Amino acid sequence: MRSRVTWSLGMALAVLVAAAVQLGSAAPQSAAWPVEKHRGVDSCANESVSRMQNLYTHSPYGTYGFYVGGLTVNRVCPNHASFHTKAWADAVKRQGWNLQPIYSGRQPSCLGSPSYPISSNTTTAFNQGVADGRDAITQAYARGISGPLWLDIEGYVANGLSCQPATDAYTKGWMQTVAANRAYITSLYASYPNVIRAASWPVAQRPYQVTVPHWNNVPGVYSGLPNLPRSYWVNHQRGHQYRGGHNEVWNGQTYLVDNNCYDQIVHGNTVHSTYNPCLQ
Amino acid sequence: MIRAAAVTAAGLVLAAGTVIAVNAYDRQRAESAPDQQAPRCDGAGLLARADVRGSLRGNTKTQVLLTNNGRNACVLTGHPRLAGVAGSKVVPLQASHGTYFGDPQPLDVVPPGATAAFYLTEGGTCADAPGPTRWPELRITLPNDTSLRLATGFDTRCGIAVSAFGRPD
């Protein structure tokens, strides 16, 4: 159902050198992580190692997104971050999984009534981003996670302009902090407007790669993201969440997941066979 | 010695097999099991309120809290059925079972004054969804076919899902 090969350092270097020139983004500081061109899932569930093995064996997926920490995660998925220990991460990587580590801290104040809103003061918001960036690194490091680290900024529509400056300040603070640590690659999960604005930020604060939600069941990171200009994030720097939360049954076991396509760097040491619909 | 070790190791189970009640839910459960003699919960005896927990990866989690305002314990299992309410308009909603956030911890019996919950999730990043889809109020129908109202805005544009009934987070 899915083939994989051992990651070649040479392959990584070739890809990453090319990526360095795109958008003026700072190059990833290490070549130790694979570019995944495949499908995966993310989940808020606490999946045991045995259930992860079942999912890996019987599904077509190669990358698994989980939350390493953050105030919002702790409130919305109780015990999720503490469940996903280094031992868990190591075990599922041995199974062949690559990982998409996600951090969800404070959220835009105009997103309903978030429990942990980003301050409306942009200076404070930036400092909150710095603090959460440090925490993200701490949480990832504790789990043996290096490489890409995603910040989850949830979408907001109503009254969105009122919280946009503070949301950007928070995100910049987080990105700048994580980018300063050479073990990590800044990655942003956010809706179109946020990602598009981020493309013009100073290099030190610009996410190296992005994942955009658009639940259209069209996997491609280009064709499936019609509102993201094709000239943005072009060199294996895109991910697409193409379906939201739902049940999937594999080998008789039910999993609660979102679906993602990757053409970007993930954490792990397996390269899965290219799934072409993701690259379109 | 062996018995003491068993109690220590299991924490909750005596050698005789009796479950130690650790809180009101468990006490009520122990008293009601195995035949669950309490009646099923009725909409008239519950009070609903929404507790928005937050969003992750586009999935928004609202925990709907159902407090037993009656004088007796009642049984609450299975999934709720939902309808959107706008004025006199009541439209049944197709909510899938199983949310991105899973199910709350199992709960069978709700003691008087205690609170049960279910998760309600809405997505916010779907494409080309038809409207209108914003409901100012929800009607929650319980397994015994009685219902209660929840005055909270809810968007069904990208689909909704519900969990089973269980304990609040």
Side-chain angles (χ1 to χ4, degrees), chain A residues 40-44 63-67 72-73 76-77 80 100-104 107 111 149-155 187-191 210-215 239-245 257-262 264, chain B residues 54-61 100-101 122-126:
Chain A
V41 293
D42 64 75
S43 178
C44 167
T63 292
Y64 185 83
F66 74 105
Y67 302 92
T72 298
V73 174
V76 180
C77 303
H80 180 87
Q100 181 185 21
I102 307 161
Y103 185 89
S104 184
Q107 294 295 333
L111 178 70
L149 194 51
W150 272 261
L151 174 65
D152 178 341
I153 293 291
E154 292 294 308
S187 310
L188 175 64
Y189 169 94
S191 55
V210 297
T211 300
V212 180
H214 192 130
W215 297 354
H240 177 202
Q241 184 192 45
Y242 60 89
R243 188 179 180 193
V257 296
D258 295 327
N259 291 128
N260 303 292
C261 258
Y262 304 91
Q264 57 191 169
Chain B
S55 301
L56 288 175
R57 303 276 292 184
N59 304 281
T60 297
K61 175 183 180 180
Y100 182 73
F101 305 99
E122 56 187 311
T125 58
C126 56

Side-chain angles (χ1 to χ4, degrees), chain B residues 43-66:
Chain B
L46 300 180
L47 178 66
R49 63 188 170 91
D51 172 29
V52 179
R53 306 294 288 181
S55 301
L56 288 175
R57 303 276 292 184
N59 304 281
T60 297
K61 175 183 180 180
T62 298
Q63 181 174 238
V64 178
L65 301 171
L66 303 169

Side-chain angles (χ1 to χ4, degrees), chain A residues 28-123:
Chain A
Q29 298 89 336
S30 171
W33 305 283
V35 171
E36 183 79 289
K37 301 175 183 177
H38 201 73
R39 283 180 287 178
V41 293
D42 64 75
S43 178
C44 167
N46 294 342
E47 299 294 2
S48 66
V49 170
S50 62
R51 277 176 53 86
M52 290 294 290
Q53 180 67 70
N54 181 72
L55 183 61
Y56 191 75
T57 301
H58 297 282
S59 80
Y61 305 127
T63 292
Y64 185 83
F66 74 105
Y67 302 92
V68 295
L71 291 169
T72 298
V73 174
N74 296 336
R75 175 169 169 80
V76 180
C77 303
N79 305 316
H80 180 87
S82 59
F83 177 87
H84 293 89
T85 60
K86 183 177 186 302
W88 179 91
D90 289 346
V92 301
K93 281 187 286 185
R94 283 194 297 272
Q95 294 171 350
W97 284 107
N98 289 329
L99 296 174
Q100 181 185 21
I102 307 161
Y103 185 89
S104 184
R106 295 179 180 274
Q107 294 295 333
S109 58
C110 52
L111 178 70
S113 301
S115 302
Y116 303 102
I118 296 168
S119 170
S120 59
N121 179 293
T122 53
T123 301

